[in-house]
């Protein structure tokens, strides 16, 4: 393949600079994916030097365009763009690609590298994050823009590959984006026909343009991805579509993976391994690139440098914002607060007052219903609370009075995600990353399996996302084992940074919601009951302890036994306590709605609650594995689920599997007799 260029225009030089920064970094690391950056270089030049609205000096500027590298394995393309555009990413960091403590990890990580908008790597999720970002932009614009004052006016751009489109989540995301008419979402498909296993013709033969048209997207087909001018024309067509508000756009770019490599271009060998010294040298010769590794000529740096242009655009926006603030001071202050992610000043006081009110109501109801009431109370104080459900609104009770529905032509606060649990969760991450909202999404707890990787990404990215998961045990009854979560609670608790709350009544449910919205450094998941749960009597002084994850719900002088329980099983613990008290046996009951929060408490508090050397019985209608660490060094037992449930009325199931008074008392007496 003869790639020698005699009089390369500046765009070709810029594209080759991106290629060789990627080649050289991967070669230095002896690890990485050079093929995609080499193939998408001209597309990147067209977007980043001609259209992308951003300011390297202020990566968090509110009205910047969002750029998402959904095919995140090609991370060196993004790092090269950030470095050359003027972000705080020195050349030495590119030389340390994929090394310990570098700012250039193997896949882009938000909060780690300036200019990276989201953590990508799990294919398809970047695209779906971008859908959430585009939805957030649209809703914020509807809420804050005024005639003559356009405060929110940016776009979301996505690079994606065949792998992203093969993942099922891409269907969920693209379908939702089409029906919501997210016109400011513009995606570039790297149509190179190669994945790690080789030519994709044997396993990916979709008519992708037809597929996206069916979703309601605009499609620009057969764009030469190695022609900057052709890509530029496609971008201008996409921008015209956006201005007409006729839906998102997919630009289909015919590319060659590993473009420029004489031996590896167009093959899987270019995908996920260094080219090697010999092939790197051959590529330099083929592209007439005379520069040694990591050397970029000044004219290329100048062509990419976005600092002056970005500062000018941001200054213009700031002037527009100042005019907006003069005309609408309250809205401007609210916009600033929302984008900063800060909560209303009085929220903690209000949340405590709400909690005391729920305590005084002493209502017996399902915690899914208590959650709906909690959402309604908080939504009045938190206009940024934005949520919905994966098609189960009337089962998991995720709407609230006056919320309104989010539609293509209507800006409500409740989102009907359809049966798209994974897409919902990943889009929630995008909404949170965009800023301006506290998003939540609901489904049955058993379907957290569909959403799990996006829930994990919420925790990895430390995003304030709330997951509302109802029908939390075999107590849901007749739907049977396909819908009865057994392993889900302990498995979700294994995700670092995820706070899993399983409240026992309306009071703990409100406390869990309060904690979730006030937590700024990660996601929370509420596991809620289908069945009614009795109110547990407490003193007002006990209420603050709920936020510590575990607390003494009911105590006794010199207890002989400690019972730990969560959710619906707390009522069983309290009933056993009453029976044993009548027999002269003192029992302490600890409600532990959130083990993660409890584990973050200081050792003195944890010991004060659990009392060392006391026999312990744990009750939870889920796999028991995770509870044994709380029984280390003491006599103990766990009443849990060792297998799947069955289809039957809830009461019959609970008796069958030992979640009844007789079983609990039997275990308790056995522990006491062993003393």
């Amino acid at each position: 393949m003869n790639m020698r260029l005699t009089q390369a225009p500046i765009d070709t030089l810029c594209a080759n600079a991106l290629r060789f920064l990627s080649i050289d970094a991967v070669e230095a690391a002896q690890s990485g994916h050079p093929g995609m950056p080499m193939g998408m270089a001209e597309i990147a030049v067209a977007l980043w030097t001609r259209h992308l609205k951003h300011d390297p000096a202020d990566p968090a500027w509110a009205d910047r365009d969002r750029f998402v590298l959904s095919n995140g394995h090609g991370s060196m393309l993004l790092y090269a763009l950030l470095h050359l555009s003027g972000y705080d990413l020195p050349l030495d960091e590119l030389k340390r690609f994929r090394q310990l403590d570098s700012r250039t990890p193997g896949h882009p990580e938000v909060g780690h590298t300036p200019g990276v908008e989201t953590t990508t790597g799990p294919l398809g999720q970047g695209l779906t994050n971008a859908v959430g970002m585009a939805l957030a932009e649209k809703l914020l614009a509807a809420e804050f823009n005024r005639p003559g004052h356009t405060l929110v006016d940016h776009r979301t751009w996505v690079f994606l590959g065949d792998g992203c489109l093969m993942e099922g989540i891409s269907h969920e995301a693209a379908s939702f984006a089409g029906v919501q008419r997210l016109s400011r979402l513009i995606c570039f498909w790297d149509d190179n026909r190669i994945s790690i296993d080789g030519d994709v013709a044997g396993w990916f033969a979709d008519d992708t343009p037809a597929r996206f048209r069916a979703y309601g997207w605009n499609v620009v087909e057969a764009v030469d991805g190695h022609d900057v001018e052709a890509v530029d024309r496609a971008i201008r067509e996409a921008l015209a579509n956006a201005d007409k508000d006729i839906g998102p756009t997919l630009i289909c770019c015919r590319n060659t993976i590993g473009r420029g490599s004489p031996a590896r271009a167009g093959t899987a060998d270019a995908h996920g391994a260094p080219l090697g010294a010999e092939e790197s040298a051959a590529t330099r010769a083929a592209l007439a690139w005379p520069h040694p590794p990591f050397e970029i000529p000044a004219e290329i740096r100048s062509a990419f440098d976005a600092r002056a242009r970005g500062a000018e655009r941001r200054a213009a926006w700031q002037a527009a914002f100042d005019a907006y603030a003069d005309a609408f001071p309250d809205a401007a202050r609210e916009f600033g607060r929302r984008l900063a992610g800060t909560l209303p000043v009085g929220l903690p006081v209000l949340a405590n007052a709400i909690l005391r009110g729920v305590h005084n109501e002493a209502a017996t109801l399902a915690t899914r219903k208590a959650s709906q009431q909690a959402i309604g109370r908080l939504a009045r104080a938190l206009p940024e609370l934005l949520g919905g459900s994966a098609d189960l609104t009337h089962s998991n009770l995720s709407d609230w009075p006056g919320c309104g529905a989010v539609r293509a032509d209507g800006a409500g606060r409740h989102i009907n995600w359809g049966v798209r649990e994974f897409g919902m969760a990943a889009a929630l991450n995008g909404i949170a990353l965009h800023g301006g909202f506290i998003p939540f999404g609901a489904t049955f707890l058993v379907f957290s399996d569909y959403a799990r990787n996006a829930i994990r990404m919420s925790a990895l990215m430390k995003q304030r996302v709330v997951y509302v998961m109802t029908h939390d045990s075999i107590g849901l009854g007749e739907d049977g084992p396909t819908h009865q979560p057994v392993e889900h609670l302990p498995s979700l608790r294994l995700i670092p940074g995820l706070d899993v709350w399983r409240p026992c009544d309306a009071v703990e449910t409100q406390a869990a919601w309060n904690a979730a919205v006030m937590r700024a450094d990660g996601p929370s998941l509420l596991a809620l009951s289908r069945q009614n749960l009795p109110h547990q009597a407490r003193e007002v002084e006990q209420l603050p302890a709920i936020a510590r994850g575990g607390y003494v719900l009911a105590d006794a002088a010199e207890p002989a036994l400690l019972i730990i329980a969560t959710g619906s099983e707390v009522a069983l613990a309290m009933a056993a306590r009453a029976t044993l008290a009548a027999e002269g046996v003192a029992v302490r009951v600890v409600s532990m709605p959130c083990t993660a929060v409890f584990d973050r408490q200081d050792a003195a508090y944890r010991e004060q609650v659990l009392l060392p050397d006391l026999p312990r019985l744990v009750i939870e209608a889920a796999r028991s594995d995770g509870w044994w660490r709380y029984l280390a060094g003491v006599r103990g037992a766990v009443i849990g689920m060792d297998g799947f449930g069955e289809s039957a009325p809830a009461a019959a199931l609970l008796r069958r599997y030992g979640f009844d008074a007789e079983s609990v008392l039997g275990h308790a007496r056995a522990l006491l007799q062993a003393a």
Side-chain angles (χ1 to χ4, degrees):
M1 135 186 238
N2 183 8
M3 295 292 297
R4 185 173 296 281
L5 304 174
T6 54
Q7 293 181 330
I10 187 63
D11 287 335
T12 300
L13 289 174
C14 287
N16 286 339
L18 296 174
R19 287 189 174 95
F20 283 103
L21 282 175
S22 300
I23 291 169
D24 295 339
V26 171
E27 192 66 25
Q30 284 298 291
S31 173
H33 298 75
M36 185 279 262
M38 295 170 71
M40 296 194 78
E42 282 84 5
I43 304 170
V45 170
L47 175 61
W48 280 69
T49 67
R50 302 188 183 189
H51 296 281
L52 191 69
K53 183 174 74 169
H54 63 125
D55 181 6
D58 187 1
W61 169 32
D63 203 43
R64 70 194 181 278
D65 286 352
R66 271 61 170 180
F67 174 78
V68 175
L69 190 77
S70 189
N71 41 358
H73 54 272
S75 57
M76 260 313 304
L77 177 61
L78 179 53
Y79 299 147
L81 288 163
L82 294 170
H83 167 71
L84 293 172
S85 296
Y87 286 81
D88 182 18
L89 191 65
L91 187 63
D92 282 348
E93 292 296 332
L94 274 63
K95 295 178 179 179
R96 298 178 61 232
F97 178 54
R98 288 185 165 229
Q99 303 309 298
L100 186 64
D101 297 328
S102 78
R103 297 168 74 183
T104 50
H107 292 82
E109 297 179 22
V110 68
H112 189 81
T113 309
V116 171
E117 298 284 1
T118 180
T119 300
T120 52
L123 293 176
Q125 286 198 59
L127 165 62
T128 316
N129 295 162
V131 169
M133 293 174 183
L135 179 63
E137 188 273 342
K138 183 172 183 175
L139 295 176
L140 275 180
E143 184 175 355
F144 286 99
N145 288 352
R146 302 287 188 272
H149 295 272
T150 302
L151 193 60
V152 182
D153 183 22
H154 53 268
R155 295 175 173 82
T156 304
W157 307 86
V158 183
F159 281 8
L160 57 89
D162 291 333
C164 294
L165 296 181
M166 283 186 252
E167 289 285 0
I169 192 175
S170 72
H171 167 83
E172 299 181 30
S175 175
F176 181 82
V179 77
Q180 289 290 341
R181 207 170 67 243
L182 301 180
S183 300
R184 290 173 171 264
L185 174 64
I186 301 172
C187 301
F188 300 83
W189 170 32
D190 179 19
D191 180 14
N192 63 38
R193 296 184 168 84
I194 294 294
S195 70
I196 289 176
D197 279 357
D199 189 321
V200 301
W203 52 87
F204 183 55
D206 299 12
D207 185 343
T208 296
R211 171 187 167 190
F212 274 76
R213 285 195 184 95
Y215 295 139
W217 288 52
N218 309 291
V219 178
V220 184
E221 285 193 66
V223 176
D224 182 351
H226 301 302
D227 182 339
V228 172
E229 295 299 331
V231 175
D232 181 73
R233 288 192 296 273
I235 291 173
R236 293 183 186 279
E237 182 177 341
L239 292 173
N241 292 335
D243 290 341
K244 296 173 186 174
D245 192 22
I246 54 174
T249 297
L250 178 70
I251 300 175
C252 305
C253 300
R254 289 299 309 275
N255 299 328
T256 300
I257 192 170
R259 168 86 168 180
S261 169
R264 297 193 181 185
T267 73
D269 291 337
H271 191 291
L275 296 184
E278 182 177 340
E279 187 62 19
S280 295
T283 305
R284 275 180 158 77
L287 295 179
W289 185 260
H291 312 290
F294 297 106
E295 182 178 300
I296 303 297
E299 63 176 326
I300 296 175
R301 289 189 174 278
S302 178
F304 272 110
D305 194 340
R307 288 173 291 185
R309 185 169 62 250
E312 182 179 342
R313 285 178 166 178
R314 182 164 57 90
W317 180 85
Q318 187 62 51
F321 179 81
D322 292 342
Y324 180 94
D326 288 340
F328 311 101
D330 292 341
R333 281 191 294 271
E334 179 69 3
F335 180 82
R337 179 189 72 79
R338 296 261 296 268
L339 267 294
T342 57
L343 298 173
V345 172
L347 185 67
V349 174
L350 176 62
N352 287 333
I354 290 172
L355 184 61
R356 289 193 299 273
V358 176
H359 164 76
N360 292 336
E361 289 174 5
T364 290
L365 69 168
T367 52
R368 61 172 175 161
K369 182 63 178 178
S371 170
Q372 184 182 43
Q373 294 177 354
I375 294 168
R377 298 182 191 107
L378 291 170
R380 290 192 289 272
L382 286 171
E384 59 263 52
L385 194 61
L386 173 70
S389 178
D391 199 52
L392 294 167
T393 300
H394 300 296
S395 291
N396 49 47
L397 305 180
S398 58
D399 57 354
W400 66 98
C403 58
V406 173
R407 296 289 185 266
D409 293 308
R413 295 173 65 186
H414 182 270
I415 306 170
N416 296 102
W417 291 102
V419 187
R420 302 182 180 105
E421 295 89 354
F422 192 8
M424 173 182 71
L428 293 175
N429 286 334
I431 293 170
L433 287 160
H434 180 279
F437 295 100
I438 298 175
F440 72 88
T443 186
F444 289 175
L445 181 59
V446 75
F447 300 138
S448 64
D449 283 339
Y450 286 146
R452 185 184 179 88
N453 198 264
I455 296 172
R456 180 179 185 270
M457 296 303 294
S458 302
L460 182 61
M461 296 189 286
K462 300 181 179 179
Q463 294 302 300
R464 180 159 46 193
V465 177
V466 185
Y467 295 99
V468 179
M469 302 287 182
T470 67
H471 297 59
D472 67 339
S473 75
I474 59 171
L476 68 89
E478 291 86 348
D479 276 340
T482 62
H483 283 54
Q484 293 165 1
V486 173
E487 76 278 20
H488 298 74
L489 285 167
S491 68
L492 288 163
R493 288 175 180 140
L494 291 175
I495 298 176
L498 176 65
D499 286 353
V500 178
W501 292 86
R502 188 170 184 243
C504 74
D505 64 1
V507 176
E508 286 191 358
T509 304
Q510 183 68 58
W513 261 108
N514 291 354
V517 298
M518 286 190 277
R519 184 187 182 202
D521 63 349
S524 302
L525 185 148
L526 280 61
L528 306 169
S529 73
R530 176 182 185 270
Q531 71 272 34
N532 286 344
L533 303 183
H535 169 75
Q536 298 299 332
R538 302 173 185 81
E539 299 298 327
V540 172
E541 291 76 19
Q542 290 177 275
L543 297 179
I546 301 173
R548 304 189 76 168
Y551 66 103
V552 179
L553 175 62
D555 208 358
E558 299 184 3
L561 177 68
L562 184 135
I563 303 179
I564 304 169
T566 78
S568 49
E569 288 71 68
V570 170
L572 278 176
M574 292 295 288
R577 175 181 180 272
T579 299
L580 291 170
E583 298 173 3
V585 179
V587 175
R588 169 180 284 194
V589 172
V590 170
S591 178
M592 198 176 290
C594 185
T595 59
V597 172
F598 181 75
D599 291 345
R600 292 199 294 268
Q601 305 304 308
D602 61 84
Y605 176 78
R606 298 197 308 271
E607 185 171 304
Q608 174 189 335
V609 169
L610 294 183
L611 293 178
D613 304 324
L614 201 64
R616 298 174 189 172
L617 174 63
V618 178
I619 318 170
E620 185 175 67
R623 287 281 300 183
S624 62
D625 307 59
W627 287 107
W628 290 100
R629 60 197 174 98
Y630 293 101
L631 304 183
V634 299
R635 294 189 313 283
V638 181
I639 303 175
M641 289 290 296
D642 295 321
F644 295 112
E646 301 175 50
S647 176
L653 284 173
L654 293 170
R655 285 194 302 273
R656 167 69 61 87
Y657 291 101
F659 298 100
D660 61 354
E662 183 179 354
S663 172
V664 172
L665 287 169
H667 281 83
R669 288 168 178 147
L671 286 173
L672 291 166
Q673 290 169 3

